[in-house]
């Protein structure tokens, strides 16, 4: 299970690509010319999903790897990472369909991120105390 964080990272990149693809497809379908980021509600939802996923990934990946490398190994950090991925996918699919239904996926991914943040913090403090 030591490679689980690496698998989660790869799957996160695929999630990012998926949101990019959906946004590009919506841009073409609704004739939204770049650099515009508004026009049709379905495009705007796809764009927000993409941007929100990028924003969350920027906070997620560092804590995933800090937790994995500072005492919580691949299993705990990787499992929390998988939960984050499930939450983000749930969030994305719900947001695209009905933005008012995105809360469950947001809550799950935020909880997983917070768990990783705590693991990373504990791991770093332990390492500072030992070293």
């Amino acid at each position: 299970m030591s490679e689980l964080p690496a698998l989660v990272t790869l799957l996160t990149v695929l999630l990012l690509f998926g949101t990019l693809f959906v946004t590009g497809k919506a841009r073409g379908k609704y004739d939204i010319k770049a650099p515009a980021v508004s026009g049709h509600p379905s495009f705007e939802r796809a764009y927000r999903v993409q941007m929100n996923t990028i924003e969350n990934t920027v906070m997620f990946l560092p804590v995933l790897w800090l937790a994995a490398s500072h005492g919580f190994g691949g299993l705990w950090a990787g499992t929390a990472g998988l939960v984050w991925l499930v939450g983000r996918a749930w969030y994305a699919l719900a947001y695209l369909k009905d933005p008012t239904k995105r809360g469950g996926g947001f809550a799950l991914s935020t909880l997983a991120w917070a768990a990783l943040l705590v693991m990373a913090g504990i791991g770093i403090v332990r390492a500072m105390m030992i070293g």
Side-chain angles (χ1 to χ4, degrees), residues 85-97:
L85 270 170
V86 168
R88 289 311 300 176
W90 175 11
Y91 169 88
L93 293 171
Y95 200 139
L96 289 170
K97 191 172 185 176

Side-chain angles (χ1 to χ4, degrees), residues 17-39:
F17 178 77
T19 64
L20 172 87
F21 181 81
V22 169
T23 301
K25 190 173 177 181
R27 185 178 287 282
K29 181 177 181 178
Y30 300 108
D31 197 33
I32 310 295
K33 303 288 187 222
V37 294
S38 63

Side-chain angles (χ1 to χ4, degrees), residues 87-111:
R88 289 311 300 176
W90 175 11
Y91 169 88
L93 293 171
Y95 200 139
L96 289 170
K97 191 172 185 176
D98 178 0
T100 65
K101 307 288 187 199
R102 71 190 190 276
F106 177 81
L108 182 62
S109 63
T110 300
L111 182 62

Side-chain angles (χ1 to χ4, degrees), residues 5 12-13 15 25 30 32 42 46 48 72 101-103 112-113:
T12 299
V13 171
L15 175 66
K25 190 173 177 181
Y30 300 108
I32 310 295
S42 293
R48 284 311 315 152
F72 288 90
K101 307 288 187 199
R102 71 190 190 276
W113 174 81

Side-chain angles (χ1 to χ4, degrees), residues 4-86:
L4 191 53
L7 176 61
V8 168
T9 300
L10 181 61
L11 293 172
T12 299
V13 171
L14 291 175
L15 175 66
L16 290 168
F17 178 77
T19 64
L20 172 87
F21 181 81
V22 169
T23 301
K25 190 173 177 181
R27 185 178 287 282
K29 181 177 181 178
Y30 300 108
D31 197 33
I32 310 295
K33 303 288 187 222
V37 294
S38 63
H40 191 279
S42 293
F43 167 75
E44 291 174 9
R45 284 194 304 272
Y47 181 75
R48 284 311 315 152
V49 166
Q50 182 187 16
M51 292 300 105
N52 290 341
T53 302
I54 290 169
E55 292 163 1
N56 271 261
T57 299
V58 168
M59 296 188 313
F60 164 69
L61 287 177
V63 295
L64 170 68
W65 284 100
L66 288 169
S69 64
H70 284 82
F72 288 90
L75 181 60
W76 288 103
T79 300
L82 286 174
V83 171
W84 181 88
L85 270 170
V86 168

